[in-house]
Amino acid sequence: MSTAVQKGRTLFQVLLDALKKPEPAPKAPAVDLYNPLKLSLGGFVKIATPDYIAYTFSIEMMSEFTRQIAKRTLKFVDYSLFDPDRGQDGTYITLRVIPQDDGKLDCLLLRPKDELPFSKELQKALKGKELVDNESQVKYTMRASHKASIREAKADGSVNRLQVEYWDFINEEEQQPRFYVVEMDLSDREGMIQTYTGSLIAKEDVKPVGSH
């Protein structure tokens, strides 16, 4: 006889408990972030591009960037996406969505490249007009550099704030522009630098799973 029945519960009660549906996971508290694609933290999304059409990404985090440019307060958002079933340790990508003055949205798909400690050599390179990717030997031209404050919201409802400085570089030698993005954390890990390579995708290529 099972331990549960021995403790005074009937076999019928044990069977009823086994048939009960598990309680749904609690939804993350709503966080008032800039969210132009109306995606949900903890939800899932597919990216309909040749490299990622077979992936199903969970939305792990949303990061709202706020910057001041020519006395204007401007925002954009990063959606941090993860597919645990692709790659040796899963696959992380970032979908950066930037509103333009005409109301359209630029969607930039960023792939993490390197995480580096701050160095004077790198600082000097970032102040130049050009940057060369040592691995691919692609030459990028400086497009913009800004400081920004960030609010990060995770699927568990936690919210974090930090400050970053970032640099955008572009290569337009081919029909499809290539981007190289450098971010330096000015907060908890001051001086730590993350680099990304990226390309533009259509807004229509971002497809929430379960939507029609």
Side-chain angles (χ1 to χ4, degrees), residues 102-133:
D102 60 4
K104 295 181 180 179
L105 298 173
D106 279 351
C107 296
L108 184 60
L109 196 62
L110 297 174
R111 305 162 189 85
K113 184 172 174 57
D114 296 308
E115 189 174 57
L116 306 166
F118 176 80
S119 69
K120 291 183 178 180
E121 291 78 11
L122 185 52
Q123 183 185 36
K124 183 178 179 180
L126 291 173
K127 288 183 178 180
K129 294 182 179 181
E130 294 181 336
L131 184 145
V132 177
D133 181 350

Side-chain angles (χ1 to χ4, degrees), residues 118-207:
F118 176 80
S119 69
K120 291 183 178 180
E121 291 78 11
L122 185 52
Q123 183 185 36
K124 183 178 179 180
L126 291 173
K127 288 183 178 180
K129 294 182 179 181
E130 294 181 336
L131 184 145
V132 177
D133 181 350
N134 290 332
E135 183 178 337
S136 66
Q137 292 302 302
V138 174
K139 182 184 292 186
Y140 295 86
T141 302
M142 166 74 80
R143 191 170 68 154
S145 172
H146 299 287
K147 291 184 178 180
S149 59
I150 300 178
R151 287 193 300 158
E152 293 181 341
K154 297 183 179 181
D156 62 6
S158 61
V159 178
N160 187 36
R161 297 176 184 268
L162 61 151
Q163 302 287 326
V164 300
E165 185 171 3
Y166 68 93
W167 295 260
D168 286 341
F169 295 85
I170 189 170
N171 176 287
E172 297 181 284
E173 295 176 354
E174 300 180 2
Q175 184 176 2
Q176 173 79 313
R178 291 180 283 184
F179 296 85
Y180 194 97
V181 176
V182 183
E183 290 182 3
M184 182 167 68
D185 189 344
L186 302 177
S187 304
D188 294 338
R189 298 184 303 152
E190 184 169 349
M192 204 67 188
I193 292 173
Q194 176 72 55
T195 65
Y196 304 85
T197 57
S199 56
L200 289 168
I201 65 171
K203 174 186 172 184
E204 292 72 24
D205 287 336
V206 183
K207 300 183 182 298

Side-chain angles (χ1 to χ4, degrees), residues 29-35 41 62 64 75 151 153 159 161:
V31 181
D32 184 22
L33 296 182
Y34 177 65
N35 183 11
L41 280 168
M62 291 170 50
E64 175 193 79
K75 296 179 183 291
R151 287 193 300 158
V159 178
R161 297 176 184 268

